[in-house]
Amino acid sequence: MNEKWPMLKIHNASKSFNGVEVLNNVSLEVAKSDVLGLAGPSGSGKSTLLRCIQQLEILDGGSMECDGKIGFMFQDFQLFPHLTVLQNLLYALNLGEKNARRRQSNEMQAKIMLKNLGIEAKASMYPYSLSGGQKQRVALARSLMVDPDVLLCDEPTSGLDVATTMDVVLLLKSACETGVTMIIASHDLDFLTKISNRIVLLRDGKIVLDVDVKQCQDPVNHLKKYYAD
Amino acid sequence: MDTVISNCIYLGKGLIFTLELTMGSIAVGLALGVFLSVLRHCRICVSLVRGWSSIIRGTPLILQLSIIYFSIPNLIGVRMNILSAGIIAFGLNSSAYVAEILRSGIESLPKGQFEAARTLGIPTFYMWRDIILPQVAMNILPTLVNEVIALLKETTLISIIGGMDIMRRSQIVAAEQFEYFMPLCIAGVYYYCLAMLIEFIGEKIERKVAYAKNS
Ligand SMILES: Nc1ncnc2c1ncn2[C@@H]1O[C@H](COP(=O)(O)OP(=O)(O)O)[C@@H](O)[C@H]1O
Ligand SMILES: [Mg+2]
């Protein structure tokens, strides 16, 4: 298998809301198993780009091609409040699954996933009783349960304290090790440089910078220059 | 004392009729109301649902009841019994109100819940049945209980097509015995007990689902 096979190809994507252009001819290729950080100030179009990739929004122009299943992690998690943690993980997977043995193995898999994330004790709890970091884990687990080839994460650290942010870095890193391609949108450059091998900077719906994190001496400061003016 | 007991028994038969009528109507109203409110999210059906809602809410219930009991059998040549005509009329009527309650419940749910269901590949039918409607049901339960109590009180209109409900029976007793106070009091107590029963059941359900109220 070619490691640098493009998993996702975006060509001249554009999108406007009420006449205001939010994405302006964005072109981007993401290689398989890449972890791409999507940086940019608030309002630069990061969420919109992710939502277009997931087809929650329809592009006005340009094209997108994805070579696999997409998983999505919402900024505000969007866990199902009336289902327990375990049910949140299993519901979509077990839909239409009549084979009892496979349902059982799905449940085993979900429990292992919760255990790896350190929240196996919460399996039968409802989302309202979880902390922000715990909800984050459940959201990650839920999006990984359907076995995506590409995982899109929108601001996975927003609203989390420093220690929990570190946990999320480790979590996402361990998810990368499974070979899943990731695109992580965040305004937090420190966080992004810790986790991604490539960072793309969006400003006013345009890609203004594309850096290879390992090739760069001081990626945070390098990127910061483009943030200001 | 004997007359009190015999009046209680006589009106008690009306209590059963009223209960059947209310439960039948709310069953029809809920089923049709859920159907209508989901149909609202299908582009071609929106104006159909809106039109239905508008007609139902813009005409008197007594007229709707008369059309169903007197004029429809005339047109199609089949006579309906009073209870079924009542259940159909009150059920159709409350479906519009239930649909309206559901609509605001659905609209107040975060859009992200629909999107989360979509990103997980949950088909539309299951999304509505297992993800959206259970949450909406939880949120609108108190309003729905009010609607059922309002419906209970509206069923008194059944007397215009000859339905022997609590109200009608109390008037018959009053006319026969030239005494209004006692039969009307009994009727009041019966209605109040029914309303309290509905509220009690509503609170029971509410307590049971309260765990997921705030996410
Ligand atoms: N559904 C929408 N309707 C109207 N405007 C929107 C919508 N979604 C996003 N926008 C606008 O698009 C711009 C980019 O938003 P977004 O993609 O959320 O940026 P970011 O995630 O980088 O903060 C903002 O100005 C926002 O107001
Ligand atoms: Mg955003």
Side-chain angles (χ1 to χ4, degrees), chain B residues 170-182:
Chain B
S170 71
Q171 284 167 332
I172 289 172
V173 170
E176 274 173 0
Q177 298 169 1
F178 304 106
E179 141 88 68
Y180 279 90
F181 188 70
M182 196 247 289

Side-chain angles (χ1 to χ4, degrees), chain A residues 51 54-56 70 72 74 78-82 91-92 95 126 128 135 142, chain B residues 112-113 115-120 122-123 126 130-131 134-135 211-212 214-215:
Chain A
R51 291 171 58 82
Q54 172 70 74
Q55 293 180 322
L56 291 171
I70 301 176
F72 199 101
F74 290 86
Q78 298 298 344
L79 300 175
F80 302 132
H82 62 303
Y91 176 74
L95 250 189
Y126 287 90
Y128 80 93
K135 282 182 195 170
R142 187 178 69 174
Chain B
Q113 288 287 306
E115 295 178 343
R118 260 179 71 194
T119 61
L120 290 168
I122 299 169
Y126 294 97
D130 297 337
I131 305 297
Q135 293 186 57
Y211 54 77
N214 39 1
S215 54

Side-chain angles (χ1 to χ4, degrees), chain A residues 120-164:
Chain A
E120 72 267 44
K122 306 284 178 190
S124 54
M125 305 266 236
Y126 287 90
Y128 80 93
S129 63
L130 304 181
S131 71
Q134 290 166 339
K135 282 182 195 170
Q136 184 79 54
R137 285 150 204 256
V138 178
L140 177 66
R142 187 178 69 174
S143 52
L144 287 174
M145 277 306 282
V146 290
D147 199 16
D149 302 290
V150 181
L151 181 62
L152 310 175
C153 308
D154 196 358
E155 305 277 359
T157 61
S158 74
L160 300 185
D161 56 50
V162 180
T164 322

Side-chain angles (χ1 to χ4, degrees), chain A residues 31 35 45 50 60 77 105 108 111 140 155 161 173 187 215 225 228:
Chain A
V35 180
L50 292 188
D60 296 336
F77 319 127
S105 92
M108 281 298 291
K111 283 182 174 159
L140 177 66
E155 305 277 359
D161 56 50
K173 275 213 165 124
H187 61 276
Q215 304 289 315
K225 276 183 239 149

Side-chain angles (χ1 to χ4, degrees), chain B residues 18-206:
Chain B
T18 297
L19 198 60
E20 283 173 337
L21 183 57
T22 308
M23 297 209 308
S25 306
I26 200 63
V28 172
L30 270 177
L32 196 59
V34 169
F35 180 68
L36 288 173
S37 61
V38 173
L39 216 59
R40 235 175 208 282
H41 290 251
C42 138
R43 222 162 270 147
I44 351 171
C45 309
V46 178
S47 38
L48 214 74
V49 176
R50 261 197 219 139
W52 170 259
S53 221
S54 163
I55 291 171
I56 292 281
R57 301 201 297 164
T59 55
L61 178 49
I62 197 165
L63 176 82
Q64 295 160 13
L65 185 60
S66 308
I67 287 178
I68 284 170
Y69 187 67
F70 296 119
S71 107
I72 289 191
N74 237 342
L75 294 174
I76 60 171
V78 198
R79 262 195 91 72
M80 251 181 284
N81 77 41
I82 293 171
L83 183 62
S84 344
I87 287 175
I88 293 170
F90 292 120
L92 292 183
N93 182 270
S94 92
S95 76
Y97 292 92
V98 169
E100 211 47 45
I101 295 169
L102 276 162
R103 184 183 64 90
S104 62
I106 292 167
E107 278 172 5
S108 63
L109 214 63
K111 232 178 83 207
Q113 288 287 306
F114 290 83
E115 295 178 343
R118 260 179 71 194
T119 61
L120 290 168
I122 299 169
T124 310
F125 171 77
Y126 294 97
M127 174 188 81
W128 282 104
R129 194 193 67 179
D130 297 337
I131 305 297
I132 305 300
L133 290 176
Q135 293 186 57
V136 171
M138 254 157 31
N139 296 339
I140 64 171
L141 200 66
T143 327
L144 220 47
V145 168
N146 284 343
E147 170 61 20
V148 180
I149 291 175
L151 179 70
L152 164 72
K153 292 184 285 186
E154 275 169 354
T155 58
T156 49
L157 284 176
I158 197 74
S159 65
I160 62 133
I161 62 169
M164 296 288 274
D165 69 338
I166 303 172
M167 192 62 208
R168 178 79 191 278
R169 281 173 187 263
S170 71
Q171 284 167 332
I172 289 172
V173 170
E176 274 173 0
Q177 298 169 1
F178 304 106
E179 141 88 68
Y180 279 90
F181 188 70
M182 196 247 289
L184 290 180
C185 271
I186 298 172
V189 169
Y190 280 179
Y191 278 113
Y192 186 70
C193 287
L194 283 178
M196 287 307 103
L197 179 69
I198 292 165
E199 212 166 89
F200 176 75
I201 294 171
E203 270 168 20
K204 260 263 148 89
I205 301 173
E206 206 172 338

